[in-house]
Amino acid sequence: MNIEELINEHYNYLSPTEKNIARYIANHKDELKSLSITKLAEKTTSSKASIVRLSQKLGFKGFTELKSFFVWGDKNIPQKLTFASKSNILSSLADTMDYLRTTDWSDIYDLIDNCEKIYVIYTGVSQKNQTIEMERLFLFIGKPVLAIPADKESYEFKHFFNVLKQNDLIFLVSLTGNNHHLSDVLNLLSLKRAKTISLTGHTDNLLSQRVDYRLYASRFKDVPEDSLQSNSMFYVVIEALVFGYLEHKNLN
């Protein structure tokens, strides 16, 4: 999906200021790659906060990730790109298999079985793709999922929050679980008292400390945060959750 398609998909949810920034970005793609967030704010007579909000509404963590989308989209791969190795993937897979074998999700299965609606709140582009897979699998088992961006100012989030009930179930998907804007989201969710489940990298993090239940996907060890990494373990955990739920239903 290119930037024009992303903007078009979310256009009705953008404020007038965000639409102005979006139009500038779409018309100055090459220039954007070298612009700082401060310069972009000056050129669009907006603020850094508005640019960050726009980036998040488009499915990115922030402006830096939005810029990276342009770079990778044009296949301008950095010369000093760092990346995980095959051995990293195999090690993470082994850790994930150990985790899945030793973890009891019976309480989570009961929540899925008894909840009224299921929502998934995602924090970035990769997490949005993982959410799409959750939507696909849960739909097949008769449990439709609604995806919501982790932006409390977005139209989707405001509507979701207005209709959220205590008997609903909320998954929150984040790579690190340390996205600071999630604190505001969690503060709002606590008012509705719906059960929450995090899905994050396999490390202690802010998100996992504040939810009712937590799922973990093993992350690569000794690999820089900004390197090219695999998200495959998240998909393994998602599939294990759904097929484990089906097995739990059949046994009960």
Side-chain angles (χ1 to χ4, degrees):
M1 182 176 290
N2 60 37
I3 192 63
E4 288 85 358
E5 292 171 329
L6 273 177
I7 292 171
N8 184 60
E9 180 182 340
H10 298 87
Y11 194 77
N12 291 335
Y13 308 127
L14 303 181
S15 69
T17 297
E18 291 161 353
K19 288 178 180 177
N20 181 55
I21 300 169
R23 283 192 292 268
Y24 186 91
I25 288 173
N27 292 323
H28 300 82
K29 298 176 189 176
D30 292 334
E31 181 185 350
L32 182 70
K33 296 172 187 176
S34 60
L35 276 184
S36 67
I37 188 171
T38 302
K39 284 293 185 183
L40 179 58
E42 290 176 2
K43 288 179 176 290
T44 56
T45 60
S46 62
S47 66
K48 291 189 287 186
S50 295
I51 294 170
V52 171
R53 280 195 296 270
L54 170 64
S55 301
Q56 292 172 346
K57 285 184 180 181
L58 296 180
F60 303 99
K61 293 178 183 177
F63 179 64
T64 300
E65 190 172 275
L66 173 61
K67 284 182 64 175
S68 297
F69 175 82
F70 281 91
V71 174
W72 285 89
D74 287 346
K75 298 180 174 59
N76 293 325
I77 301 175
Q79 292 182 353
K80 295 185 178 180
L81 173 69
T82 56
F83 50 88
S85 65
K86 181 180 177 181
S87 62
N88 289 130
I89 295 175
L90 294 175
S91 176
S92 292
L93 182 58
D95 289 343
T96 299
M97 293 300 101
D98 288 342
Y99 165 69
L100 295 178
R101 277 191 289 265
T102 58
T103 303
D104 183 3
W105 290 343
S106 297
D107 290 343
I108 294 177
Y109 297 148
D110 289 338
L111 287 174
I112 294 172
D113 210 24
N114 298 318
C115 70
E116 187 169 338
K117 291 183 180 179
I118 300 176
Y119 298 95
V120 182
I121 296 177
Y122 60 88
T123 57
V125 174
S126 295
Q127 290 69 46
K128 183 177 182 179
N129 291 334
Q130 292 152 17
T131 298
I132 290 171
E133 181 64 6
M134 291 182 73
E135 288 179 308
R136 185 184 73 84
L137 291 174
F138 273 100
L139 182 62
F140 274 113
I141 64 174
K143 289 285 184 177
V145 165
L146 296 175
I148 310 294
D151 175 11
K152 65 184 181 66
E153 301 299 329
S154 69
Y155 170 84
E156 298 102 313
F157 187 92
K158 289 178 179 178
H159 177 71
F160 143 76
F161 187 73
N162 285 336
V163 301
L164 180 64
K165 298 178 181 177
Q166 186 173 346
N167 195 38
D168 293 334
L169 180 62
I170 307 166
F171 287 88
L172 298 104
V173 185
S174 171
L175 177 62
T176 66
N178 289 319
N179 313 65
H180 292 292
H181 68 276
L182 282 176
S183 294
D184 292 336
V185 170
L186 291 166
N187 290 340
L188 287 172
L189 295 181
S190 66
L191 299 176
K192 296 295 184 97
R193 303 180 67 183
K195 293 297 183 183
T196 52
I197 303 171
S198 63
L199 171 56
T200 66
H202 204 168
T203 53
D204 192 25
N205 56 75
L206 295 174
L207 176 56
S208 65
Q209 292 173 10
R210 294 194 54 187
V211 295
D212 299 299
Y213 299 90
R214 49 209 57 84
L215 305 172
Y216 292 108
S218 180
R219 297 184 61 201
F220 297 151
K221 301 181 180 70
D222 304 319
V223 176
E225 289 284 343
D226 58 352
S227 64
L228 178 60
Q229 300 201 31
S230 168
N231 291 304
S232 56
M233 300 309 130
F234 280 81
Y235 292 97
V236 171
V237 173
I238 290 168
E239 290 189 347
L241 174 69
V242 173
F243 290 113
Y245 168 74
L246 289 175
E247 185 178 37
H248 177 79
K249 287 275 290 183
N250 289 334
L251 291 175
N252 292 281

